[in-house]
Amino acid sequence: MNMIENLNIPSSKGQRIVIVGGGFAGLNIAKGLLSSTAQIVLLDRFNFHTFQPLLYQAATSALPSDSVAYPFREILSKSNSFYYRWAEVQDVAVSSKKLLTSEGDLSYDILILATGTEVNYFGNKDIEKNALVMKSLPQAIKIRQTILSNFEKADRCDTIEDKKALLNFCLAGGGPTGVELSGALAEMKSEIFPRDYPHLDTSLMEINLFDGSDRLLSSMSDHAGKKAQEALEKLGVKIHLNVEVTGYDGVRLKTSEDKTYETKSFIWAAGVVGNPFSGIPETSIGAGKRYIVDEFNAILGCESVYAIGDIALMKTSSFPEGHPQVAQPAIQQGKTLAKNLKLKMKGKAMKAFSYFDKGSMAVIGRNRAVADIRKFKFSGFFAWLLWTVIHLFFLAGFRNRIIVFFSWMYNYINGDKATRLIIAEAERNKAKT
């Protein structure tokens, strides 16, 4: 494979600012810098931005997969100084200001690392090998394929034991991802699968949610955790608190209670961790393998290198362990750093980042959600409506908003999820065995 020097990006009279990662942080700093005099280069292993808060709906057939993704080139096409390259960054050489990528090397004047986090398996190799995860769109699609193909297999199984194993969906992690996926699966059990599989006893389907703490949604209020648990239990989800999943071989799930569960579907949503580049000094990496940054998001001990979003560890008096690894800090850091870099180019002083906490939300199902908005705690229909409006507003692209809005309206009125398609050839072939 021929490596391309500077990825065929022309030289520029202004500074070259390279952004690694096109999540909420990377996308917002890119948009904020388009009006600057710098050349902006965005690198990502996908050619689209993923709206991660709605991945669970792509995974559970509520939304078409392309409605939660939007091409970078479409979003940032209005500037002639913007360049996107489809590449995976392998390392960074800080001393020579150069990135090493799967497609060649790229020099930079300013580097922004917005790589987010990866799944934390806590060293459990069996879980890493056999569990499903949901950090990217392909992974969400794989979960959807697994859910639907398991029902197809269960519909032709001879034994109750085999049916139960295929229809037992287990999840580890009682945060927003685990809660939202559990609620969506429960709605499919009550509203979708009995219609689709009239000859299958869908009451055999189980949803087991495990969490090692004493309540759900530990990052939110006690009120939110309690209401989420009540809503899930009403939907038929079996919740196991103070229970950790200790192993999974693809068939049997083991827990800290010394119990085993027969399941062909296990989703791991129990934690994330940073994946720092080896070229960044170890002294610049803190808890959770996040880059230690100052109040301007500059990485400790690295000249002209910044980190924003989930991968950045900025300790303040209000957030001594760093900001929460959710969308809002990433969005705000991206916007603030864009403004600061434009100030710096003009020879003006940069302003310290200050996080404005807009609250946290999680949806459990139709008319069911929880929300912590500063001092106010909401649950039920109002929280669900608030969640719906906010997520629709922040979704990238007018087309996506239209598709999502009408999909939600259709789902709400009909109790249906229209994208129940098994499209992977591999899944069809497996079903023959």
Side-chain angles (χ1 to χ4, degrees):
M1 179 177 174
N2 295 324
M3 296 298 183
I4 305 170
E5 179 66 23
N6 280 334
L7 304 184
N8 201 26
I9 296 172
S11 58
S12 172
K13 294 180 180 179
Q15 291 183 309
R16 175 181 290 164
I17 301 177
V18 178
I19 304 164
V20 182
F24 286 113
L27 180 64
N28 276 278
I29 191 171
K31 290 166 68 175
L33 288 170
L34 290 183
S35 60
S36 72
T37 58
Q39 182 188 74
I40 312 302
V41 181
L42 175 64
L43 305 178
D44 199 287
R45 60 195 179 99
F46 299 113
N47 75 331
F48 53 84
H49 166 74
T50 302
F51 193 77
Q52 284 198 325
L54 294 183
L55 272 182
Y56 84 96
Q57 294 203 8
T60 53
S61 302
L63 290 174
S65 55
D66 63 346
S67 68
V68 300
Y70 208 70
F72 291 126
R73 294 183 182 277
E74 179 69 21
I75 298 171
L76 304 166
S77 61
K78 295 180 180 180
S79 172
N80 290 327
S81 63
F82 168 76
Y83 294 84
Y84 164 75
R85 288 296 182 264
W86 182 34
E88 186 165 1
V89 176
Q90 299 166 335
D91 209 347
V92 53
V94 175
S95 59
S96 58
K97 289 192 172 184
K98 184 172 289 188
L99 283 174
L100 313 178
T101 85
S102 57
E103 306 302 318
D105 297 345
L106 176 66
S107 60
Y108 65 84
D109 295 300
I110 295 174
L111 176 63
I112 317 294
L113 299 178
T115 51
T117 54
E118 63 180 16
V119 178
N120 188 359
Y121 298 98
F122 301 98
N124 194 311
K125 296 299 182 182
D126 287 337
I127 291 177
E128 182 175 358
K129 179 181 178 182
N130 298 300
L132 296 165
V133 294
M134 197 184 67
K135 286 286 289 178
S136 68
L137 185 56
Q139 291 168 346
I141 293 172
K142 185 176 181 180
I143 289 175
R144 186 187 72 194
Q145 303 284 95
T146 301
I147 294 168
L148 298 176
S149 62
N150 278 9
F151 263 85
E152 294 295 336
K153 294 172 187 177
D155 200 28
R156 61 175 175 79
C157 276
D158 293 326
T159 68
I160 293 295
E161 290 75 16
D162 288 340
K163 291 179 189 291
K164 284 184 174 181
L166 285 163
L167 302 182
N168 183 12
F169 295 90
C170 295
L171 304 92
T177 299
V179 165
E180 291 171 345
L181 272 171
S182 297
L185 281 168
E187 286 191 329
M188 294 182 80
K189 177 183 178 180
S190 63
E191 299 174 355
I192 305 299
F193 292 134
R195 297 203 305 257
D196 281 4
Y197 300 91
H199 307 296
L200 177 65
D201 183 4
T202 54
S203 68
L204 295 173
M205 178 180 175
E206 282 191 9
I207 305 160
N208 289 282
L209 176 60
F210 302 88
D211 193 87
S213 65
D214 59 359
R215 70 175 181 88
L216 300 178
L217 300 175
S218 57
S219 62
M220 296 180 67
S221 66
D222 290 339
H223 174 269
K226 179 181 178 181
K227 290 296 183 180
Q229 181 171 346
E230 290 175 357
L232 287 175
E233 288 176 339
K234 285 182 180 178
L235 288 169
V237 178
K238 297 180 180 180
I239 298 173
H240 310 266
L241 298 176
N242 295 308
V243 178
E244 296 179 357
V245 174
T246 57
Y248 178 62
D249 62 5
V251 179
R252 292 177 182 83
L253 182 144
K254 298 178 181 179
T255 71
S256 55
E257 292 183 314
D258 290 329
K259 290 183 179 180
T260 60
Y261 297 79
E262 301 289 324
T263 176
K264 295 293 183 68
S265 305
F266 172 50
I267 301 171
W268 179 260
V272 294
V273 67
N275 185 22
F277 296 116
S278 60
I280 302 294
E282 289 187 11
T283 53
S284 303
I285 300 170
K289 296 185 179 179
R290 301 163 76 184
Y291 299 121
I292 302 172
V293 300
D294 62 17
E295 66 270 30
F296 308 110
N297 282 96
I299 297 180
L300 180 68
C302 296
E303 182 185 356
S304 302
V305 183
Y306 299 81
I308 52 177
D310 291 356
I311 195 65
L313 179 61
M314 182 188 296
K315 295 184 178 182
T316 67
S317 57
S318 300
F319 298 92
E321 303 301 322
H323 296 102
Q325 292 170 294
V326 293
Q328 273 303 315
I331 292 170
Q332 293 178 35
Q333 286 184 357
K335 290 180 177 179
T336 300
L337 184 55
K339 293 176 182 177
N340 273 332
L341 290 177
K342 287 193 285 188
L343 287 173
K344 189 175 181 180
M345 291 176 203
K346 296 176 182 178
K348 298 180 180 180
M350 295 167 58
K351 299 178 181 179
F353 174 73
S354 178
Y355 174 52
F356 177 70
D357 187 356
K358 296 183 178 180
S360 303
M361 292 181 285
V363 67
I364 296 99
R366 187 164 65 251
N367 296 335
R368 300 179 178 95
V370 290
D372 294 340
I373 311 297
R374 300 183 75 78
K375 296 180 180 180
F376 302 99
K377 316 298 178 188
F378 305 105
S379 61
F381 175 77
F382 180 75
W384 173 83
L385 185 62
L386 189 64
W387 180 94
T388 300
V389 171
I390 289 174
H391 283 72
L392 196 63
F393 176 79
F394 280 104
L395 192 64
F398 178 75
R399 170 187 172 275
N400 282 10
R401 293 191 189 106
I402 293 296
I403 292 173
V404 169
F405 175 75
F406 281 105
S407 294
W408 283 348
M409 289 291 292
Y410 176 81
N411 294 347
Y412 188 85
I413 295 170
N414 296 287
D416 194 13
K417 299 178 187 291
T419 57
R420 301 188 300 281
L421 306 177
I422 302 174
I423 58 175
E425 181 71 14
E427 291 296 338
R428 187 179 69 82
N429 289 337
K430 288 180 186 176
K432 293 180 179 180
T433 61

